[in-house]
Amino acid sequence: MKVASWLAVVFFVGTLFPYAYAAVDSSLKQLRTFVNVLEYVKENYVEPTDSDTLITGAIRGVVDELDDFSQYLEPKDYKALQNDTRGDFGGLGIRLAKVDGFVTVMSPMPNTPAFKAGVMPQDRILFVDDKDVTGMELDAAVELMRGPVGSKVKITISRKDEKSGEYKKLPDFHFKRQKIVPEVVHYRMLEGKIGYIYLVDFSGHSTEEMQKALKDLTKQGMKSLVLDLRFNPGGLLNGAADIAKMFMGDNQMIVYTKGRKEEFYQEFKTSAKAPYPDLPMVVLINQGSASASEIVSGALQDNDRAVIVGQRSFGKASVQQVLPLDGGAGLRLTIAKYYTPKGRLIHRDYRDKSKENEGGIFPDVEVKMDPKEEVNIFMQYNNIVYTPGKEMPKMEFKEKDPVLDKAVEILKNGVEKVLAQKAEKEKQLQTQKAATQEESVK
């Protein structure tokens, strides 16, 4: 039994780590300890154990030791990941909430199947394909409504009677699921011809929607721009690069990746002439800005293309590669990290407290704000209600936003002043660094 388990472990190590055999002499003692522990547990633990479960746990322990983003994927998880990345799922286009125990429509989204069919705000969804969703968790009910694009689904709805105030069941709605494209760009004109764009994330159509917003704001006479990336969790790298290219000069570095292997080094630069290379800009970030939003803000900051205002960003910018393993399992492994044009590491290691000041994008102008109050600002976008047959409502912004106020102040006074102050500060730091190095040589 011991020999069989030993061979299984060595095979496991050799399969996952091609260079393990070269180092087998130095690690033989640790491997023997592992085998001894495994055997002792199997033979003496108070309850019967399963070898596969124990080895899977050991594999997971190896990967979990690395970082928060590397992951051993069991067959079911690996299959689910493949479905998420390859599948084309559709829905009905409804914003939902749980109200009084019922799955309730907060608003249908414009130009979606639900909107076209006349689903109304405050409608209650009772059944999905004859399955009762009353009392069901909201996520579970939403999952029932999702499915392959083009597939059909039956929804049973009750609607409040205006006279009696009672909810009455309506004839069943029959939908064909469509690919739902949520709103990822919200924009408006502020005082002083300052354009404002709130980018929700970097999904597949973010670039196109950004282009539309910029063209419309330009037609309205935009003289400067606030790009709001607060609470933007990121998304597609190509989307980040394409949006950065709209504002940067030719052949400028956007971001680069670097890992242990030379093959993982990759540069992303601008190419064609930017449509808005000289538009004065301020970019807003906070602790919820991550990944692609950090790539954009870091690129614009390092190339002196925009002033960054707000709070330090989250610091999530690493490259994961997914590898298939025997038995249908998979391995998601961090192979590289992203760096800004000036070589600043974007990724933040939350496990290592000694690296507290490393990672994330630090704003040029810090404006601290209570997270709950900042969340309320963006909840205003979710509170808008679309009603079929009525005019599109206008957004009303009532929450105070000192971060945006600071951005407007900077643009009114001229971004050049802040950029000049930043350049002078960097020059002083370089001088101090050179002096320290010279002193250490002496």
Side-chain angles (χ1 to χ4, degrees), residues 121-187:
Q122 303 308 313
D123 282 354
R124 290 175 173 174
I125 297 179
L126 306 178
F127 296 89
V128 178
D129 281 334
D130 297 321
K131 186 172 291 187
D132 190 354
V133 299
T134 304
M136 185 180 288
E137 291 293 329
L138 187 61
D139 289 345
V142 170
E143 196 62 30
L144 290 176
M145 296 179 217
R146 294 180 72 235
V149 171
S151 61
K152 295 180 180 179
V153 61
K154 181 175 71 173
I155 305 292
T156 304
I157 286 176
S158 67
R159 181 171 295 165
K160 191 174 184 178
D161 183 81
E162 293 184 3
K163 293 182 179 179
S164 66
E166 297 180 356
Y167 277 84
K168 296 182 179 180
K169 188 184 293 186
L170 302 178
D172 290 336
F173 286 78
H174 294 268
F175 295 103
K176 183 180 287 188
R177 295 182 176 97
Q178 291 182 6
K179 186 173 182 179
I180 303 301
V181 181
E183 291 181 282
V184 294
V185 170
H186 300 274
Y187 68 95

Side-chain angles (χ1 to χ4, degrees), residues 228-245:
D228 199 338
L229 300 180
R230 288 176 292 176
F231 296 111
N232 184 320
L236 300 175
L237 172 62
N238 289 341
D242 288 341
I243 288 174
K245 289 176 183 177

